[in-house]
């Protein structure tokens, strides 16, 4: 049974819910590549036709195509979410005559009679409650796709969001039909559907297991890593790192999450944890020691643009820049201490996009587009608008803002990217204070709502609430999404501000999303990472 060494999961943990035996160690590099969005990010890959890097216009065009569902994935196979499966006119236009719902009655279309009237075949099974998904349903799905192919018709495979469960089936079909290696298959699928394609750990393990069984695993996971070759020995193939990616386990979880055991516990388990801990500690130390040079997305800016000279600060930089450490999807619900379910993640993700988003007392974050929704600003009680991106982000709704009595101010920070906080924080905080004094609220915005505005929102939240640096950014990413504060210069400026106000987290290790075995609840149980 190909999945016996891989799967022992409890569904409901969106990061894969790894609960049991470790996967085959040879599979871990492949699982890590699938989980780390840097590795298979379609924006970092050259155009397959020209071999050139994608231009900004190319990226915009491809993002539009990725969201124009259904998306053609392979041969006669299309992929979509549940909503797009109801657009019968578009299905007919694309030549889709077969529809496969892999998520059961929860996403069954209300217009099934219309399917029949238009000559569209419909098939449904519910694979959403399975962990060994491909063992149970792949043969049935491929038989249905083959039947459509024999009739020279296209087939649509869909689930609720068109990324994960349906993504597993279309990736399996593409891999087997085209004979592609597993990482190449997923890379191409993410290019077609976006980087959220197949992000659930349990489904990734299903696909890796199928690839191993069919000889399509490949032997070159290293070339998909974004780190330099000299770093891959300690990072890419670290089983502890790979396990943490699957589990979503983090330091400092509430004690209600489970019993904490010391790494010095007797027995073989304790010995194994000790060995892994030592290996992990060496790996992280190596990471810190190389921080002065390029490390892919973990590089530090040149000294003339950065103020990070303290060795103790480097761990904060690692946590801020690694896409896993403060990933809101991997962190438990702050109220219940439980892992987020898929439905909870979907709701949070929708709230993050419904700009402006409330971040702290009387402060919202928004984008240029959101500022043009004056009706929503009034509904939220926003009385002050602060443009932090300069003339390029002036909203088209200026007249409407004035009519609504909303105070507008612009601070041009575009020429002060590396000194923005130092030069403009006092002015920004004074503007926010005026909004509070009048019992109003203020929205800070830039073009995207996650860049320069994120820096000042995080700074205000940290100073206003007295929360520590990493805790502040973790909360902000939960509210606004993982794209919040990804600019490296802004991260360093916020770190410097936190140190000035004594707001650096005492145990930054709590936020490292790497854990050898058991959950750790106390700092004294942890390995010393920086000496």
């Amino acid at each position: 049974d190909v999945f016996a060494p891989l799967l022992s999961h409890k569904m409901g943990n969106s990061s894969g819910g790894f609960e049991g035996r470790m996967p085959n160690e040879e599979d871990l590099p492949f699982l890590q590549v699938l989980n780390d969005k840097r590795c298979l990010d379609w924006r970092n890959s050259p155009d397959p036709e020209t071999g050139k890097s994608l231009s900004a216009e190319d990226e915009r065009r491809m993002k539009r195509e990725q969201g124009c569902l259904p998306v053609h994935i392979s041969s006669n196979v299309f992929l979509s979410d549940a909503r797009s499966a109801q657009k019968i006119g578009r299905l007919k236009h694309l030549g889709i005559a077969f529809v496969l719902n892999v998520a059961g009655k929860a996403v069954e279309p209300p217009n099934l009679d219309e399917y029949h009237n238009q000559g569209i075949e419909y098939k449904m099974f519910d694979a959403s409650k399975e962990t060994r998904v491909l063992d149970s349903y792949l043969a049935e799905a491929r038989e249905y796709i083959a039947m459509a192919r024999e009739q020279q018709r296209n087939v649509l495979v869909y689930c609720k969001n068109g990324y994960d469960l349906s993504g597993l089936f279309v990736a399996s079909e593409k891999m087997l039909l085209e004979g592609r290696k597993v990482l190449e298959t997923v890379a191409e699928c993410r290019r077609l559907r976006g980087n959220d394609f197949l992000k659930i750990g349990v489904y990734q393990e299903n696909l890796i297991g199928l690839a191993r069984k069919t000889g399509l695993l490949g032997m070159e996971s290293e070339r998909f890593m974004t780190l330099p070759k000299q770093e891959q020995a300690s990072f890419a193939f670290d089983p502890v790192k790979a396990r943490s990616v699957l589990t979503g386990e983090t330091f400092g979880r509430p004690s209600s999450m489970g019993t904490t055991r010391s790494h010095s516990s007797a027995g073989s388990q304790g010995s194994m944890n000790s060995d892994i801990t030592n290996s992990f500690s060496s790996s992280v130390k190596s990471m810190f020691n190389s921080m002065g040079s390029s490390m892919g997305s973990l590089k530090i800016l040149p000294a003339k643009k950065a103020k990070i000279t303290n060795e103790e600060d480097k761990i904060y930089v690692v946590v801020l820049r690694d896409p896993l450490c403060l990933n809101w999807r991997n962190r438990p619900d702050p109220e219940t201490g439980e892992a987020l379910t898929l439905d909870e993640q979907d709701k949070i993700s929708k709230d993050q996009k419904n700009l402006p988003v409330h971040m702290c007392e009387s402060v919202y974050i928004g984008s240029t587009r959101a500022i043009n929704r004056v009706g929503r600003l009034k509904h939220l009680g926003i009385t002050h608008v602060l443009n932090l991106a300069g003339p390029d982000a002036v909203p088209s709704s200026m007249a409407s803002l004035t009519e609504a009595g909303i105070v507008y101010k612009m601070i041009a920070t575009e020429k002060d990217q590396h000194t923005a906080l130092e030069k403009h924080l006092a002015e920004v905080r004074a503007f926010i204070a005026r909004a509070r004094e009048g019992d109003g609220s203020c929205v800070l915005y830039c073009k995207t709502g996650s860049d320069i505005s994120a820096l000042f929102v995080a700074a205000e939240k940290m100073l206003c609430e007295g929360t520590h640096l990493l805790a502040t950014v973790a909360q902000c990413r939960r509210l606004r999404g993982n794209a919040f504060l990804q600019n490296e210069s802004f991260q360093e400026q916020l770190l410097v501000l936190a140190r000035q106000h004594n707001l650096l987290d005492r145990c930054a290790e709590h936020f490292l999303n790497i854990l050898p075995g058991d959950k750790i609840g106390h700092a004294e149980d942890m390995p010393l990472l920086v000496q």
Side-chain angles (χ1 to χ4, degrees), residues 175-431:
M175 182 175 71
L176 296 175
L177 182 68
E178 298 177 6
R180 288 181 178 235
K181 303 301 184 184
V182 63
L183 297 182
E184 294 174 351
T185 298
V186 177
E188 176 63 15
C189 288
R190 289 185 179 171
R191 180 179 176 84
L192 297 170
R193 181 66 180 102
N195 288 331
D196 283 333
F197 181 91
L198 202 69
K199 64 181 180 297
I200 304 298
V202 66
Y203 300 149
Q204 294 171 351
E205 287 193 49
N206 270 258
L207 189 64
I208 292 293
L210 176 66
R212 178 169 291 284
K213 181 180 180 180
T214 55
L216 293 172
L217 195 58
M219 299 301 293
E220 297 181 346
S221 62
E222 303 97 315
R223 73 186 181 91
F224 290 93
M225 293 288 177
T226 58
L227 299 180
K229 289 183 178 180
Q230 62 267 27
E231 299 298 333
Q232 291 173 2
S234 62
F235 185 84
F237 296 97
D238 186 346
V240 179
K241 175 72 175 178
R243 177 189 168 101
S244 75
V245 171
L246 299 176
T247 62
E249 292 173 341
T250 58
F251 290 112
R253 287 194 176 186
S255 58
S256 60
M257 293 291 287
T259 304
T260 299
R261 292 191 298 177
S262 170
H263 283 266
S264 60
S265 58
S268 59
Q269 179 67 37
S271 175
M272 179 186 73
N273 284 345
S274 177
D275 292 342
I276 296 177
T277 300
N278 292 335
S279 173
F280 161 66
S281 183
S282 299
S283 175
V284 174
K285 287 177 185 176
S286 174
M287 186 186 300
F288 292 157
N289 291 337
S290 63
M291 289 292 286
S293 59
S294 174
M295 277 190 63
S297 64
L298 295 180
K299 66 179 181 298
I300 281 193
L301 291 171
K304 64 179 180 179
K305 294 182 179 180
K307 297 182 180 179
I308 305 305
T309 57
N310 192 323
E311 284 291 316
E312 296 176 0
D313 287 346
K314 289 187 177 181
I315 189 171
Y316 298 98
V317 176
V318 169
V319 173
L320 287 171
R321 293 182 185 172
D322 191 285
L324 300 174
C325 293
L326 299 182
N327 188 321
W328 66 269
R329 295 179 182 275
N330 295 341
R331 305 192 68 78
D333 187 295
E335 295 181 359
T336 66
E338 300 293 332
L340 297 171
T341 65
L342 293 181
D343 286 342
E344 288 170 336
Q345 289 194 35
D346 285 344
K347 181 181 182 304
I348 292 172
S349 181
K350 289 178 183 176
D351 291 342
Q352 292 167 352
K353 297 178 178 67
N354 190 21
L355 298 174
V357 171
H358 183 245
M359 303 299 289
C360 66
E361 181 192 353
S362 304
V363 176
Y364 289 75
I365 193 169
S367 63
T368 305
R369 183 175 181 181
I371 300 305
N372 290 320
R373 300 164 62 190
V374 178
R376 176 159 170 77
L377 301 187
K378 293 177 66 177
H379 173 73
L380 294 172
I382 291 172
T383 57
H384 291 63
V385 170
L386 180 55
N387 171 4
L388 291 163
D392 290 343
V394 173
S396 59
S397 60
M398 284 296 296
S400 298
L401 290 173
T402 303
E403 290 176 7
I406 296 176
V407 179
Y408 173 85
K409 181 181 178 67
M410 179 180 72
I411 299 177
T413 62
E414 65 272 15
K415 295 181 180 179
D416 306 315
Q417 294 289 295
H418 302 292
T419 56
L421 277 187
E422 182 180 345
K423 291 185 176 181
H424 302 293
L425 181 59
E427 186 178 3
V428 169
R429 298 202 73 200
F431 188 74

Side-chain angles (χ1 to χ4, degrees), residues 76 78 90-98 152-155:
N76 66 326
F78 286 74
R90 178 156 172 78
L91 302 189
K92 296 284 288 184
H93 174 73
L94 295 172
I96 294 173
F98 291 78
Q152 297 184 342
R153 296 298 184 94
N154 295 328
V155 59

